[in-house]
Amino acid sequence: MRRMLRLLPALLVLSAAFLLSACQRGEADKALLQAPAVGDLYAAELSAFSDYEFTDDKQTAIDPAYGLMKVVAVEDDGVVVVTENAALGTRDRARSDIKDPSAIVFDDSERISISKTDLAKAYEDDLIYVVRRPTAE
């Protein structure tokens, strides 16, 4: 019991550091969404934005479908994005792909306009859950 009590302060410090890091990351994501740039990447629920029906290798529908979106144009009130060609049924792969998107192929045939207001709402609703500006790193 005493050993657990000694570990409690360390666990509290680690928890606070993790929470602070997550909050800072969230603020950084929001700042990027408020001032978007061509090339920005969003890990997102693609099916919430695209009219395309994403399927797996067996042509079974993936819903919800997760993957990356890339900003191809910045407009006065928002952005134009394209989705990646492939999608998955879980968020995990998009979280890792956004760190190194070199193997990702984007579909330029469907251009999706999203207003800045809708970008912020999508982030709040967790439809966009990671934001990255590759040139900033």
Side-chain angles (χ1 to χ4, degrees):
M1 182 69 171
R2 287 184 186 196
R3 187 176 289 188
M4 287 180 59
L5 289 175
R6 281 189 248 165
L7 290 176
L8 188 58
L11 289 174
L12 289 173
V13 168
L14 286 174
S15 297
F18 179 75
L19 185 58
L20 179 61
S21 174
C23 289
Q24 289 174 337
R25 183 71 233 159
E27 292 304 313
D29 286 352
K30 289 178 188 177
L32 290 175
L33 289 171
Q34 290 172 356
V38 171
D40 284 359
L41 297 171
Y42 306 146
E45 184 179 317
L46 301 180
S47 49
F49 299 94
S50 176
D51 290 332
Y52 182 76
E53 182 179 355
F54 293 93
T55 58
D56 63 14
D57 295 340
K58 297 175 185 172
Q59 300 307 310
T60 303
I62 301 172
D63 190 29
Y66 298 97
L68 299 183
M69 297 190 301
K70 179 172 72 172
V71 175
V72 294
V74 176
E75 300 173 334
D76 289 340
D77 185 43
V79 297
V80 177
V81 298
V82 293
T83 64
E84 70 174 286
N85 280 342
L88 295 169
T90 66
R91 296 171 171 234
D92 297 339
R93 180 72 179 265
R95 285 184 193 278
S96 62
D97 285 348
I98 202 166
K99 295 174 187 172
D100 179 16
S102 59
I104 303 299
V105 177
F106 290 92
D107 178 7
D108 291 323
S109 67
E110 182 187 30
R111 292 176 173 255
I112 304 163
S113 294
I114 309 170
S115 71
K116 286 184 182 178
T117 302
D118 289 341
L119 278 175
K121 176 116 175 70
Y123 189 79
E124 287 174 24
D125 293 345
D126 211 27
L127 298 175
I128 295 174
Y129 49 94
V130 180
V131 180
R132 181 168 180 261
R133 181 163 294 158
T135 57
E137 295 178 21

